[in-house]
Amino acid sequence: MAVQNRVREMRTHRGMTQQALAEATRVTRQTIIAVEQGKFVPSVKLALELAAALHTPIGELFWLANHTGEDHD
């Protein structure tokens, strides 16, 4: 199973830049880029911080998807 996310979608919906989200969660902009592209799976702590910064329940921001293409509802 792969971890999928809606970080980019929620960030743009909130009108935040990658830099603003990085500053809010105390990581680099490169980390935010990697998370958004699915190249980096954040720690539980960072995932919770991202959810809080984006005012989005963590279950709506991150989910497990099968490699067969099963997506989040």
Side-chain angles (χ1 to χ4, degrees):
M1 292 193 165
V3 175
Q4 302 289 315
N5 75 76
R6 286 193 169 119
V7 174
R8 177 179 291 143
E9 177 185 340
M10 292 296 126
R11 176 182 57 75
T12 58
H13 177 73
R14 301 276 185 230
M16 292 181 80
T17 64
Q18 290 172 330
Q19 186 62 43
L21 183 56
E23 290 171 5
T25 56
R26 298 175 309 279
V27 297
T28 66
R29 184 173 154 268
Q30 287 74 23
T31 298
I32 299 301
I33 291 168
V35 170
E36 288 184 352
Q37 294 177 347
K39 295 179 179 178
F40 175 72
V41 176
S43 66
V44 172
K45 179 180 182 289
L46 178 54
L48 290 168
E49 289 173 347
L50 288 165
L54 294 169
H55 307 286
T56 304
I58 195 165
E60 290 183 22
L61 198 58
F62 295 95
W63 68 94
L64 291 175
N66 293 331
H67 291 290
T68 58
E70 179 182 317
D71 275 335
H72 189 262
D73 295 329

